[in-house]
Every structure is written in C-alpha cells, then in structure tokens.
Amino acid sequence: MNSPDFTLLNEAGLNLQAIFNIDEMPPEMKSDIRQRFDPEHRYRQLILIGHGGKAMWAAMKATGVAAEHPIDQFSIAITERWLAGLPHAIVYPAETSVGLQALGKLAGWHHASPFMVGINGIWGSWYAYRVVVLSDSDFAPTPPQVTAPPCSACLDKPCVAACPAEALSGERFDLPKCIAYRKTPSSRCKATCVARISCPVGGEHHYSDEQMAHTYSISMRMIERYTG
Ligand code: SF4
Ligand code: SF4
C-alpha cells in the first residue's frame, strides 16, 4: 500500500481526506456503491474529500474560477490533478445523490447538530464535503477521526435560542419553519444561518461573509425555486 501525498489537496484547502477500501466498508454502503457506481468492480477505494475552514475559499478565489458552481468546479479540477494517472470516477458532485453524512460519520467527521449541519470538535460546523471519488488505488486507508460529539457537552445550546424561527426548539429540526422564515422579507437568514454562527465550537474556522453569502444564497435560490 502507498502512503498518499495530500500536499496538492491541502494546498488547495481540500484539507480533509478519508480513504476507504470499498470491500471493507459496511455491507449496505458497499453494496450501494457497487450497484450504483461500480457494477464492474473497477475501483478498489472510495476517497472522501472535504474542506475545513477558510483555506479552500481563498485558494479557489485565487484561481479566478468563474462558473455557476465554482467550488464544485475547483474541487473536481484539483481532485483530477491529484489522481492523474489513476483510473477513477467522480461520483460527487454529480446528479446522482450520495449519502455524504453517512460517509462523514464513517470518517469520524460528522456528529449531529440541532441545525442539521454536521459538527465536530476540530472544525465546528465549518467544514463540508467536496468530492467523492472511486479510485483504482492502493492507498493506505485512513483511520477515522475520533472526537467527542460537541453538542452532548453543550448544556446552554445557544444555537437553539438564536434561531429566529424557533426551528430548533422542538424534538426535531423543523425544516418548514426554517424555510418559511427564510422567505420572509425581513429574514436574517437570507445569507447565513443565525443559529450556526452562534455556535462557539470551531469559531476560528468560521467562513468569511463572502463564502457564507455564496453558500446560503444557493440554498435560498433552491427554496425559492421549489417552494415559490
Ligand atoms: S451551540 Fe451547542 S448545541 Fe448548538 S451546535 Fe454548537 S455545540 Fe451543538
Ligand atoms: S437558517 Fe435561520 S431559520 Fe433556519 S435554522 Fe438557521 S437560524 Fe433558524
């Protein structure tokens, strides 16, 4: 097995990487991956790539990339360069859905938060999944990241009180309340999530206002497109 050199990814801010041998993944995941993406068993490994903190946005902006989905385009381009010479297939971002949070749990990156974005003790909620790629590689699999779930030890839960829609106040996240509030003309959540930014965990990794506006304007456009 080879030790992968993550330098290219790290320099692009794609600083979270998890490598799995597909045949050693939990049976349901393995079977889903093989059936949907690799029925001919062409690939040995699944590689999950993410970004933590602000570095990816800065690296992407420095390239001047201009596209409808600049982060996706940038992340794919870097991943393609990193895997140059190895047979591979990018399965996210793509039209077909992939269970990103399930992969994040397997990598140890994801713990649940009240506002439904994953959280961990290193990055807080300031990380995201960028690429899932199947690869015919022989890299050494990465051990899962081990951190305690931050929300279990957070007694005050300031994010719950901060949500202006009270969407986090029940037993489960109330998505309709969140959406209805975000659509109001005076919404404070057009370009951010007030609950998310009130969480102190990993606060030093908080995205810039520009990255927040980019991310939340995408979800706002989806809301407007699908709910009118
Ligand atoms: S404020 Fe507390 S409960 Fe809310 S996401 Fe952060 S750690 Fe979890
Ligand atoms: S986006 Fe706004 S309304 Fe929705 S959960 Fe976050 S704080 Fe609450």
Side-chain angles (χ1 to χ4, degrees):
M1 286 197 173
N2 306 312
S3 288
D5 179 355
F6 292 127
T7 304
L8 182 66
L9 296 175
N10 288 334
E11 286 177 353
L14 298 172
N15 48 4
L16 303 179
Q17 307 97 10
I19 295 174
F20 306 100
N21 288 330
I22 297 173
D23 284 339
E24 292 165 14
M25 294 178 82
E28 281 183 17
M29 282 177 134
K30 171 182 153 185
S31 136
D32 181 54
I33 290 159
R34 291 294 189 204
Q35 279 176 22
R36 293 201 298 148
F37 304 117
D38 187 26
E40 295 172 353
H41 288 228
R42 296 174 61 196
Y43 305 110
R44 285 175 282 174
Q45 298 195 306
L46 180 147
I47 305 173
L48 178 64
I49 297 171
H51 84 261
K54 314 168 205 278
M56 180 280 303
W57 182 261
M60 183 204 75
K61 293 287 287 184
T63 67
V65 62
E68 188 183 357
H69 300 291
I71 298 179
D72 289 351
Q73 181 168 312
F74 172 75
S75 302
I76 290 171
I78 297 291
T79 302
E80 297 277 12
R81 273 176 54 199
W82 180 62
L83 286 173
L86 275 174
H88 63 273
I90 290 186
V91 298
Y92 175 83
E95 292 297 317
T96 322
S97 68
V98 176
L100 295 173
Q101 289 196 344
L103 288 171
K105 274 186 197 164
L106 203 61
W109 303 354
H110 173 94
H111 297 287
S113 76
F115 44 86
M116 301 306 287
V117 173
I119 188 168
N120 64 55
I122 298 172
W123 298 102
S125 71
W126 306 110
Y127 72 95
Y129 310 100
R130 300 273 56 112
V131 175
V132 179
V133 58
L134 306 186
S135 169
D136 191 23
S137 46
D138 188 27
F139 296 135
T142 48
Q145 175 181 289
V146 180
T147 59
C151 302
S152 306
C154 176
L155 302 181
D156 293 345
K157 299 204 179 336
C159 62
V160 173
C163 173
E166 299 184 355
L168 317 183
S169 301
E171 285 189 9
R172 291 183 181 183
F173 176 63
D174 193 328
L175 182 61
K177 269 190 180 174
C178 169
I179 288 175
Y181 174 78
R182 293 192 69 194
K183 287 168 68 177
T184 59
S186 57
S187 165
R188 293 160 58 205
C189 297
K190 295 271 189 216
T192 190
C193 168
V194 177
R196 186 176 181 183
I197 61 174
S198 74
C199 172
V201 181
E204 67 274 28
H205 301 300
H206 188 317
Y207 301 157
S208 66
D209 289 348
E210 187 183 33
Q211 183 174 357
M212 287 295 278
H214 172 81
T215 303
Y216 281 88
S217 66
I218 290 174
S219 60
M220 203 59 236
R221 280 201 300 275
M222 300 283 278
I223 287 170
E224 278 157 0
R225 183 181 306 163
Y226 293 111
T227 68

